[in-house]
Amino acid sequence: MSSNSNTEISTGDAKHLGTTDDKHVYATDTTHDVVEAEDGQAGPIDGLQAHVKRTQRHLLPRHIQLMAFSGAIGTGLFVGTGSALARAGPLGLLLGYAVYALLVWSTFNAVGEMVVWLPVDGSFVVFAHAYLDDAWGFALGWLYTCTNALSTAGEVAAVATIVQFWTDKVNAGVYVAIVSSSLLAFNIFGVRIYGEGEFYFSIFKIILILGLITFTFVAMVGGNPQGDRFGFRYWKDPGPFNEYIAKGSWGHFLGFWSVFVQAAFAFGGPDYIALSAGEARSPQRVLPSVFKRVIYRLAVFYILGVLAVGILVPYNDPDLGSNKPGAGASPFVIGATRLNIPVLPHIINAVLLTSAWSCAIELFYASSRSLYALAVDGKVPKLFRFTWRGVPTFCVLAIWVVTWISFMSASKNSLTVFTWLTSIVGCGNLLIYGIFHIIYIRFRRAQKAQGVTDDQRPWFRRHQYYYSIGSLFFYTIIFFTNGFAVFTKGHWSIANFIFAYFSFAIFFVALIGYKLFKRPAMAPLSEVPLYAGRTDLDIDDDRVESEPVTKLQKFNRWLWG
């Protein structure tokens, strides 16, 4: 790409105003397409609801970087890997996460290209509507809102579980009420407050995972009360793979394959960054940096994390996947207990508490913004378009009500409730990420049909079009086989079947129902609105900031983007 071009290149309704050292500025002339409506909302553009921007760009690069970590590193890694280890064994667990990391890398690239091209409120919900059709936007928006709202409730139930590690004398409903109310407080008073809260919560989480990885290394070389240099002992006895459902090599493969749903719940994707694009400062400068860096950092944390799990605990330990409260089911705590380290389990539980809390805040934000995207697009009552201090108030309140599902933990075992919701959400993520690639494939085809060249694309990965085709294939296979256990002899369970395919039912009913009643048409590639949903405020904020001068400024730019 040219690094010093000053030429003005027309791209349909957009103009590329120049490129200097990875900085790209775009302006879009949309005024001739927008007609003000009576309710203050802009009129439709080719069937899309254009809107007056009501959210505010207050999220800083450090906020967005830590949001990506927060949504990806949580109870799924610290607790959920225990049951995955019990099914697959240490090598099966490691290979499962490594393969899934490659899929997520491809998904980050695909979504990153679209978001940097069009950093607007609603993000992938807008993309689905614009690049596919109205029914896809409707179905994806509701699927994402439902699964993430349920995931929020799951994290709230997880917090109640974690507190019960110390005492079960207080009813779990009390903890649910406290955490649920805090989620509302972080999200209702402005995105800046949310960003700051998530930033500091996430720092504790990163310190925890780094500490646990360090603890594993020190312990395995003999730095434990027993002085036992156990190294990779558990990879030899009971072995690197476990047999799951079947015997022999086929059982080893099924154990490995069963890891993917757990990984899909634990290993967060690019959707959290994407939904923040409409509230990020200087998105076309900041977001490429975030998308490029975060996936590699996450992969390192996850690969080393699951490696540590397989080193600390043998897959046949009876406590793995147990219903012990709090971090008692965490393989890290089980490993510390096996080594007779008395204080560490309490430290892990305390930091794990902040980790689950942080994930709940993040998921709450994501689900409220996807609901707002549906509101902006006219798919829910106009009430949900209302904003106060840049926050979609009634969307936030609606998600808060959904979190009350976690009050089930007051009568049921909290870990059981968490497991139910985890199963639904993990399968939903597989479907959602597959749909992201469908959107991206048509987005790239539309760009080519409209003559958009690489020099006119703010940020991209070469050959991503072909990566997305391959990723879509694997996501589809994994999703439709994720419930394979229920189809084997003696393992049929109606509940597990519903958990495995509930998300597909939501998406299928929403998509087909909308197509039957509204009959939306898919635009030809040459007419796909590549700049749908962009407002003048998005353009005005897309400014090139001054380059850092001092060493501290340069370090901050390198660290946060």
Side-chain angles (χ1 to χ4, degrees):
M1 295 177 64
S2 172
S3 61
N4 294 296
S5 172
N6 291 316
T7 58
E8 186 177 273
I9 304 170
S10 175
T11 59
D13 288 338
K15 292 180 180 179
H16 187 217
L17 301 183
T19 308
T20 58
D21 300 329
D22 295 331
K23 295 188 294 294
H24 302 254
V25 186
Y26 280 76
T28 309
D29 179 11
T30 58
T31 55
H32 65 281
D33 288 322
V34 181
V35 179
E36 192 69 21
E38 292 181 0
D39 64 350
Q41 293 292 95
I45 301 176
D46 297 331
L48 286 163
Q49 290 281 345
H51 70 291
V52 177
K53 185 172 178 64
R54 297 179 179 180
T55 57
Q56 300 172 355
R57 292 193 176 276
H58 286 328
L59 288 176
L60 301 175
R62 60 185 176 89
H63 294 152
I64 299 171
Q65 287 272 4
L66 269 297
M67 281 171 58
F69 282 106
S70 177
I73 300 176
T75 50
L77 175 60
F78 298 129
V79 178
T81 47
S83 58
L85 174 63
R87 293 193 304 270
L91 184 54
L93 175 66
L94 180 63
L95 290 176
Y97 270 82
V99 171
Y100 193 76
L102 290 175
L103 285 175
V104 175
W105 173 82
S106 174
T107 308
F108 263 83
N109 293 339
V111 174
E113 280 192 34
M114 294 187 290
V115 169
V116 175
W117 173 269
L118 194 62
V120 296
D121 291 318
S123 188
F124 48 79
V125 177
V126 172
F127 304 157
H129 184 168
Y131 306 150
L132 294 172
D133 65 33
D134 200 13
W136 282 85
F138 176 80
L140 177 60
W142 275 113
L143 171 63
Y144 190 87
T145 300
C146 290
T147 55
N148 278 270
L150 288 174
S151 188
T152 307
E155 292 292 346
V156 174
V159 173
T161 302
I162 292 166
V163 176
Q164 289 176 336
F165 177 81
W166 292 300
T167 178
D168 58 0
K169 293 182 179 180
V170 179
N171 188 281
V174 175
Y175 306 126
V176 168
I178 294 171
V179 176
S180 179
S181 299
S182 74
L183 301 185
L184 178 65
F186 273 109
N187 280 275
I188 200 72
F189 294 111
V191 73
R192 192 191 300 274
I193 293 175
Y194 157 75
E196 289 295 331
E198 194 65 2
F199 177 79
Y200 290 107
F201 264 121
S202 298
I203 285 181
F204 285 113
K205 188 180 300 188
I206 293 173
I207 292 172
L208 173 62
I209 186 62
L210 290 175
L212 291 176
I213 292 170
T214 303
F215 154 69
T216 302
F217 176 76
V218 172
M220 69 185 291
V221 297
N224 57 75
Q226 300 174 358
D228 182 10
R229 299 180 181 180
F230 55 89
F232 285 86
R233 177 186 301 161
Y234 302 134
W235 286 55
K236 299 177 182 178
D237 182 21
F241 289 99
N242 189 20
E243 296 175 338
Y244 180 58
I245 295 180
K247 297 291 185 181
S249 298
W250 181 239
H252 294 161
F253 175 79
L254 293 181
F256 155 76
W257 197 258
S258 71
V259 171
F260 287 124
V261 173
Q262 173 61 41
F265 173 78
F267 208 131
D271 39 311
Y272 306 117
I273 307 173
L275 285 169
S276 72
E279 296 170 86
R281 283 191 184 175
S282 303
Q284 286 195 328
R285 179 189 67 78
V286 172
L287 293 177
S289 174
V290 175
F291 278 107
K292 282 189 292 187
R293 297 176 184 181
V294 166
I295 180 57
Y296 296 112
R297 295 172 181 176
L298 284 177
V300 169
F301 284 146
Y302 265 97
I303 298 304
L304 292 180
V306 297
L307 178 62
V309 165
I311 290 172
L312 284 173
V313 186
Y315 68 69
N316 58 0
D317 188 292
D319 289 332
L320 287 175
S322 66
N323 282 329
K324 287 190 174 183
S330 168
F332 293 104
V333 171
I334 294 171
T337 303
R338 290 174 65 94
L339 295 170
N340 297 321
I341 303 176
V343 179
L344 188 59
H346 296 278
I347 296 175
I348 295 174
N349 199 72
V351 184
L352 186 59
L353 179 66
T354 66
S355 174
W357 214 318
S358 172
C359 273
I361 296 171
E362 170 82 7
L363 291 162
F364 193 108
Y365 170 84
S367 50
S368 67
R369 292 318 187 263
S370 60
L371 181 58
Y372 179 63
L374 289 168
V376 165
D377 205 23
K379 301 300 186 297
V380 293
K382 294 179 181 179
L383 174 71
F384 290 96
R385 298 182 197 168
F386 174 81
T387 59
W388 174 66
R389 302 182 67 176
V391 174
T393 311
F394 289 101
C395 294
V396 168
L397 292 173
I399 302 303
W400 182 50
V401 171
V402 175
T403 64
W404 296 352
I405 293 174
S406 52
F407 277 107
M408 288 192 301
S409 61
S411 56
K412 288 278 186 181
N413 181 285
S414 297
L415 188 61
T416 301
V417 175
F418 172 70
T419 303
W420 289 347
L421 297 174
T422 296
S423 300
I424 293 174
V425 173
C427 303
N429 285 345
L430 289 169
L431 179 58
I432 289 167
Y433 297 163
I435 295 170
F436 286 170
H437 288 285
I438 294 175
I439 299 169
Y440 175 81
I441 290 168
R442 198 155 195 277
F443 164 71
R444 286 294 295 126
R445 293 182 65 196
Q447 282 189 327
K448 292 179 181 178
Q450 297 180 29
V452 177
T453 63
D454 286 348
D455 285 341
Q456 296 167 312
R457 298 164 64 195
W459 178 75
F460 65 94
R461 292 282 191 186
R462 295 193 183 279
H463 312 303
Q464 181 55 44
Y465 180 80
Y466 302 103
Y467 295 151
S468 284
I469 293 174
S471 300
L472 175 60
F473 172 78
F474 281 107
Y475 274 124
T476 302
I477 295 298
I478 294 171
F479 176 78
F480 283 107
T481 61
N482 85 87
F484 70 87
V486 301
F487 299 110
T488 59
K489 186 176 181 180
H491 291 85
W492 171 256
S493 167
I494 294 177
N496 289 339
F497 176 81
I498 293 173
F499 295 154
Y501 300 107
F502 176 73
S503 57
F504 180 74
I506 294 177
F507 180 77
F508 182 80
V509 170
L511 179 69
I512 300 303
Y514 197 93
K515 281 185 175 292
L516 289 175
F517 283 97
K518 296 290 186 178
R519 300 187 181 278
M522 187 175 289
L525 292 174
S526 59
E527 299 176 12
V528 167
L530 291 174
Y531 295 93
R534 188 159 186 163
T535 69
D536 288 339
L537 186 55
D538 291 315
I539 300 164
D540 294 341
D541 196 80
D542 232 2
R543 58 189 180 275
V544 176
E545 296 180 345
S546 59
E547 289 296 311
V549 178
T550 67
K551 289 184 178 180
L552 179 60
Q553 290 173 340
K554 291 179 180 180
F555 175 76
N556 283 332
R557 175 66 64 88
W558 170 82
L559 184 62
W560 305 119

